Structures are given as structure tokens and as C-alpha cells.
């Protein structure tokens, strides 16, 4: 990563097979002063690098949770800010906001279940008596209990969970370790709950198509737009794409499911899909899908290219007020945040 020169340190375990990070305590005061890391190996060894301050934060990793990415800011000398991203959630940011951004990321896999996971096993870097100077993390491929199988093989040997989704109880089967990357299902399938003993989860209020997209994302890191059944051509039975408005509604639905089950990667992907399709809509259709999006707190975001840049939006808003003034005024009354976001974007400010 970034930083100045100082005394080097390397906390790499001698045996990577059974060692992992279980807890991190960060001390900071404008910059990162120390990292106190608890490792599972060597009877839960705790290693502190740096000096302690009154301002501190800590987080504990769940069983099966590991760090896959670190983001931060640094000056030419000091580490200023750190954010730790795991295969389950984000911890931080911790520290200040000055300096230039940097990032370390383990290689390979999908966002929530890497087929060959690269995880942070230890920290190495340089340090002064006062603060952390540089932290190039050591990334080592995790090993399974047997060298005879790959990590992906162990994944497909994992038991499956049955999901019953919607009023019609549509069935889906998904590997337990994949599903339990999401906190809701980890909690439901552990402890003394009925779901844990039966290995079955019912989601009667959810749309099967939207849950299907979430499952696809958990396995692949993306999802495919499911064509609306009404888009089947009755003359030849071929499936043709539904209208852009219907597709926008689908992505809004995926966004709702992703938000409900705290699948943040899918929240971002659904928003990107929605933005792309919505930018192809004109006039009153675009206003209609924005109104629906804002009912579920899916807010408009500025684009740097295409018709929804600040200049393009200014033209669009002017045209809409000329042709659909009543509808625009009513939308702004119903959704004042939509009006605010549009105004900020047209003015060239971040939403």
C-alpha cells in the first residue's frame, strides 16, 4: 500500500492452513496509529503494531468471514484511513479523509462466494513509534482440510437449502454456504430455529423472479433479466424482449429483494442495470419509473455519459415541463427528494 519508510514487520503465520484473522482493533487520531489483530492460530495470538489512542474502533469476523479487500487513503508518509471489505460485509471506514486513495484486493471468484478464495491472512508493512506507515497485506490462497480437493469441490459438496418463494411456493435449491453469506439466512439456518432443523426457508412475500436473480448473483456476481411471460410471441412461441419500462420494474424488484436481505453487491448491480435501461426511456415513461423507484428509496444517480448527464437532463426537464407540466409538478410534490436530486444533478453537483 502507501506510506513512508520505517521499521518493517511481518506477521505472516508459519502455518497458513489453520490461521485466520478473527478480530481487528484500530486506533486512530487523524491517521491510523495502530492495528491490534487477533489471529485464530497459536491459541488466539494478539499482535499490536503501533501506539494506542483514545479514539478506537473494533470489529469481530463471523465464522466463515474473511477479508477480501482493503480500501483507504494515505499521504506520502502516513496511512490516514482504512476500510475492510469481507466476503459478507464492510467494516469502516476508520480514520481521517486526507491523502490519496489506495486499494488492495484478493484475486479471483465472485463477490460473495469466490470459487478459489483469496483472503487476507496477515499484515506486513513498516511502522514508526507513532503510527502505521505502510501496510502491504499478505494474501494467501486458503486451503481446505484435504489437498485432494479444490475449494470449489468442497463448495459443491456442501448441503443444499430449499427455498419456497411466493404465494405459489416456487422451489429453489441453493448451497448452504452460498446462501449463508447473507446475514438473514445465516441467522435463520443456525441455532434453534425451525429453518435450521428442517433446512428449509419460506419466503412467501417475495417474487420468485427477483429471488432467482439474487441466487444467480450469489453464484456468478451478476444476474440475467428475466423476460416477462407476456413477451412471448404467440405466433411462433419465441421469447422477445419486453419493453424497457417492464425491465426497469424488474430491476427495481431485484433492488428491493437485495436491500431486504442486505445483499449490498446486488443492490449496486441492480441499480446499474436500472440506470442503463432507464436512460433509454423518453418523456413520461422515464418519469413513471423514477416515481416507482423512489417509493423503494432507489434514488437517481448522475451519469457521466449518455442522455442523463447534467446537460442532457437540463434539456429533458425543460421539455418535460413544456409537454407534461402537471405530471412533473405532481411528481415533485409526491417525491420531493426526486426534485432535489434532479436539481443537484442539473447543477453539476453530486447527489
Amino acid at each position: 500500500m502507501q506510506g513512508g519508510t520505517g521499521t518493517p514487520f511481518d506477521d505472516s503465520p508459519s502455518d497458513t492452513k489453520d490461521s485466520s484473522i478473527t478480530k481487528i482493533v484500530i486506533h486512530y487520531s487523524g491517521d491510523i496509529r495502530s492495528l491490534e489483530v487477533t489471529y485464530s492460530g497459536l491459541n488466539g495470538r494478539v499482535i499490536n503494531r503501533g501506539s494506542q489512542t483514545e479514539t478506537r474502533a473494533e470489529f469481530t469476523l463471523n465464522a466463515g468471514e474473511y477479508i477480501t479487500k482493503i480500501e483507504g487513503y494515505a499521504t506520502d508518509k502516513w496511512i490516514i484511513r482504512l476500510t475492510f471489505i469481507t466476503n459478507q460485509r464492510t467494516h469502516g471506514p476508520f480514520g481521517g479523509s486526507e491523502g490519496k486513495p489506495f486499494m488492495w484486493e484478493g484475486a479471483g471468484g465472485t463477490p460473495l462466494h469466490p470459487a478459489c478464495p483469496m483472503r487476507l491472512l496477515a499484515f506486513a508493512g513498516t511502522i514508526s513509534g507513532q503510527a502505521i506507515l505502510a501496510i502491504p497485506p499478505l494474501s494467501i490462497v486458503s486451503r481446505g482440510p484435504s489437498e485432494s480437493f479444490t475449494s470449489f469441490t468442497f463448495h459443491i459438496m456442501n448441503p443444499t437449502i430449499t427455498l419456497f418463494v411466493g404465494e405459489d411456493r416456487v422451489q429453489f435449491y441453493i448451497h448452504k454456504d452460498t446462501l449463508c453469506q447473507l446475514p438473514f439466512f445465516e441467522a435463520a439456518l443456525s441455532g434453534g430455529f425451525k429453518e435450521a432443523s428442517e433446512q428449509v426457508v419460506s419466503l412467501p412475500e417475495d417474487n420468485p423472479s427477483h429471488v432467482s436473480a439474487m441466487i444467480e448473483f450469489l453464484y456468478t456476481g451478476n444476474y440475467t433479466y428475466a423476460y416477462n411471460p407476456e413477451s412471448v410471441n404467440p405466433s411462433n412461441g419465441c421469447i422477445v424482449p419486453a419493453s424497457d419500462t417492464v425491465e426497469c420494474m424488474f430491476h427495481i424488484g431485484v433492488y428491493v429483494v437485495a436491500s431486504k436481505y442486505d445483499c449490498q453487491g446486488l443492490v449496486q448491480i441492480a441499480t446499474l442495470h436500472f440506470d442503463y435501461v432507464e436512460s433509454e426511456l423518453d418523456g413520461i415513461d422515464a418519469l413513471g419509473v423514477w416515481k416507482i423507484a423512489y417509493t423503494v428509496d432507489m434514488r437517481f444517480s448522475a451519469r457521466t455519459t449518455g442522455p442523463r448527464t447534467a446537460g442532457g437532463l437540463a434539456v429533458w426537464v425543460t421539455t418535460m415541463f413544456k409537454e407534461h407540466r402537471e405530471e412533473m409538478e405532481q411528481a415533485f410534490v409526491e417525491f420531493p427528494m426526486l426534485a432535489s436530486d434532479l436539481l443537484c444533478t442539473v447543477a453539476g453537483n453530486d447527489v
Side-chain angles (χ1 to χ4, degrees):
M1 292 183 186
Q2 310 274 332
T5 59
T7 303
F9 69 90
D10 188 345
D11 298 333
S12 307
S14 57
D15 183 1
T16 64
K17 189 172 184 178
D18 297 316
S19 181
S20 62
I21 295 171
T22 60
K23 180 180 178 180
I24 296 179
V25 179
I26 306 100
H27 290 265
Y28 55 93
S29 178
D31 52 16
I32 302 298
R33 295 301 178 90
S34 77
L35 290 176
E36 181 181 303
V37 185
T38 303
Y39 295 91
S40 61
L42 300 178
N43 298 318
R45 63 175 180 158
V46 179
I47 299 179
N48 181 67
R49 300 293 185 181
S51 58
Q52 297 185 355
T53 63
E54 293 184 1
T55 305
R56 66 190 296 276
E58 66 177 64
F59 61 90
T60 301
L61 300 179
N62 298 325
E65 182 181 11
Y66 49 86
I67 297 170
T68 60
K69 184 177 181 180
I70 298 176
E71 297 176 343
Y73 288 85
T75 64
D76 293 337
K77 189 176 183 181
W78 307 112
I79 298 293
I80 304 298
R81 177 177 177 176
L82 289 173
T83 301
F84 301 86
I85 296 92
T86 75
N87 59 321
Q88 296 182 6
R89 49 187 170 158
T90 296
H91 302 277
F94 309 109
S97 58
E98 298 179 355
K100 297 180 180 180
F102 66 83
M103 181 185 72
W104 170 88
E105 185 171 16
T110 62
L112 292 181
H113 188 81
C116 184
M118 294 286 288
R119 63 190 69 186
L120 179 71
L121 291 188
F123 289 97
T126 55
I127 192 171
S128 74
Q130 181 183 18
I132 301 290
L133 297 174
I135 317 171
L138 174 69
S139 175
I140 302 175
V141 178
S142 66
R143 299 177 180 176
S146 169
E147 297 297 334
S148 301
F149 299 108
T150 66
S151 58
F152 180 73
T153 303
F154 281 109
H155 164 60
I156 61 177
M157 293 167 64
N158 198 266
T160 58
I161 300 298
T162 302
L163 299 180
F164 289 102
V165 184
E167 295 181 354
D168 295 332
R169 292 176 60 82
V170 177
Q171 288 183 252
F172 294 96
Y173 303 95
I174 179 172
H175 289 98
K176 183 177 180 179
D177 60 341
T178 298
L179 186 62
C180 286
Q181 304 297 331
L182 302 179
F184 171 86
F185 297 100
E186 171 68 21
L189 293 166
S190 61
F193 295 103
K194 177 182 178 181
E195 290 83 357
S197 60
E198 298 181 356
Q199 300 293 281
V200 173
V201 179
S202 295
L203 308 174
E205 298 178 356
D206 296 323
N207 183 301
S209 294
H210 303 153
V211 172
S212 174
M214 181 173 70
I215 294 173
E216 183 179 357
F217 171 81
L218 292 178
Y219 280 108
T220 69
N222 207 336
Y223 68 90
T224 307
Y225 167 54
Y227 293 134
N228 189 291
E230 296 178 356
S231 65
V232 176
N233 188 326
S235 63
N236 56 23
C238 294
I239 295 179
V240 296
S243 70
D244 289 341
T245 301
V246 174
E247 183 173 352
C248 281
M249 296 294 295
F250 176 78
H251 297 309
I252 292 173
V254 174
Y255 175 92
V256 170
V257 167
S259 300
K260 179 178 180 179
Y261 296 112
D262 196 20
C263 187
Q264 292 304 311
L266 182 56
V267 167
Q268 297 175 11
I269 293 294
T271 302
L272 289 174
H273 284 312
F274 172 83
D275 285 350
Y276 176 79
V277 179
E278 179 275 323
S279 67
E280 300 296 318
L281 295 176
D282 293 321
I284 204 68
D285 289 336
L287 180 63
V289 296
W290 277 348
K291 289 171 59 177
I292 295 170
Y294 271 72
T295 63
V296 297
D297 199 32
M298 187 179 190
R299 294 179 58 184
F300 172 81
S301 58
R303 282 74 159 186
T304 57
T305 60
R308 298 294 188 247
T309 58
L313 272 175
V315 174
W316 182 85
V317 170
T318 300
T319 303
M320 283 293 293
F321 263 100
K322 289 180 179 178
E323 300 178 357
H324 304 282
R325 185 183 185 90
E326 183 177 347
E327 291 88 341
M328 288 288 283
E329 290 178 345
Q330 182 62 35
F332 289 170
V333 170
E334 295 178 11
F335 304 97
M337 190 58 67
L338 171 58
S340 175
D341 289 348
L342 281 172
L343 179 61
C344 289
T345 304
V346 170
N349 299 323
D350 292 333
V351 174

